[in-house]
Amino acid sequence: ENIDYFLLIPVFYQIAKSKRYINLKKLRIVISFILFTLGLTFLDEQLYAQNIKKQVWYDAAKTQLKEEYFLNNKNKKSIDGLYTAYYLNGNLKIKGFFEQNKQNGLWEFYYENGNKKSTGYYVNNLPEGNWKYYYENKHLQMEGKLKNGQKDSTWIFYYEDK
C-alpha cells in the first residue's frame, strides 16, 4: 500500500495547532511521527538525545533484540519516544510512540511473518480514530473508528479471500 506521506503534513500541522498539542513536548512527538512516517529514522538520535535508550534482549549474548525504547532522562521510569518490539526471529512486532508512559500517536502491529496485523492511533493509552486490522495474508480484515477505546461507528468486515 503506497501512500504519499507528504500529503499528511497539513493534517499534522492542524493537529499541532490544536489545543491538544500546544506544548512543545507534544509538538516534538508530532514532528517525530512525521519524520518516522517519512522514513527519516536517521534523525531519531538527535530528536531523542535527551532520553536514555534502553534495549531488552532475548539472550544473554545480546544477539537477538526483544525491544527498544527510550526513558526520560529526568524521570528514568517514564518511557518517552519511539518504542519497538521484535519477535524472536528478528521481525518487527510493534512500533509506536510513548509520551510520559502513555501510548500516543500511530502504532503498528505485525504478525511474526512480518505482515502488518493492525494500525491505528492511541491518545493517552486509548485507541482512537481510524483503525485497520489485517489477515495474515495482508488482506484487510476490518476497519472502523474508535473513541476512548470503544467502537464509535459502523465497522466494515471483509472476507479473508477478498
Side-chain angles (χ1 to χ4, degrees):
E1 182 175 308
N2 291 330
I3 298 172
D4 189 356
Y5 290 108
F6 287 104
L7 297 176
L8 295 175
I9 291 175
V11 173
F12 295 118
Y13 176 74
Q14 292 301 318
I15 291 170
K17 282 178 45 180
S18 73
K19 292 178 185 175
R20 189 180 290 166
Y21 286 93
I22 284 293
N23 77 43
L24 293 176
K25 184 167 183 90
K26 290 186 179 183
L27 182 59
R28 179 187 61 113
I29 296 295
V30 172
I31 291 169
S32 299
F33 171 72
I34 292 168
L35 295 174
F36 167 76
T37 303
L38 295 174
L40 300 177
T41 54
F42 61 90
L43 295 175
D44 284 346
E45 287 183 21
Q46 293 174 2
L47 290 170
Y48 296 103
Q50 72 277 11
N51 292 341
I52 301 165
K53 183 179 183 179
K54 290 289 184 179
Q55 294 178 319
V56 179
W57 303 87
Y58 278 108
D59 60 330
K62 296 184 177 182
T63 60
Q64 294 179 296
L65 186 62
K66 183 176 183 179
E67 60 184 346
E68 182 174 78
Y69 56 91
F70 296 85
L71 293 177
N72 186 300
N73 201 16
K74 293 178 184 174
N75 176 3
K76 298 193 175 19
K77 294 181 181 179
S78 177
I79 300 175
D80 210 18
L82 179 64
Y83 172 86
T84 51
Y86 301 90
Y87 287 103
L88 190 56
N89 67 9
N91 285 345
L92 186 62
K93 183 177 187 178
I94 302 169
K95 187 177 193 179
F97 284 94
F98 275 96
E99 182 181 348
Q100 298 177 358
N101 269 349
K102 293 183 179 179
Q103 293 170 288
N104 278 302
L106 178 68
W107 280 73
E108 297 175 328
F109 301 86
Y110 296 87
Y111 289 105
E112 195 166 356
N113 66 7
N115 292 343
K116 192 176 289 186
K117 187 176 195 176
S118 63
T119 183
Y121 292 87
Y122 276 87
V123 176
N124 292 321
N125 267 352
L126 292 173
E128 187 79 27
N130 294 323
W131 275 77
K132 290 185 178 183
Y133 295 84
Y134 300 89
Y135 291 106
E136 203 163 350
N137 65 8
K138 299 183 183 180
H139 294 156
L140 190 59
Q141 181 181 25
M142 62 181 151
E143 60 183 325
K145 290 185 181 183
L146 294 167
K147 185 173 184 177
N148 295 321
Q150 302 294 319
K151 290 181 181 177
D152 187 44
S153 67
T154 302
W155 279 61
I156 301 170
F157 294 82
Y158 301 91
Y159 292 106
E160 189 168 1
D161 59 351
K162 297 285 178 183

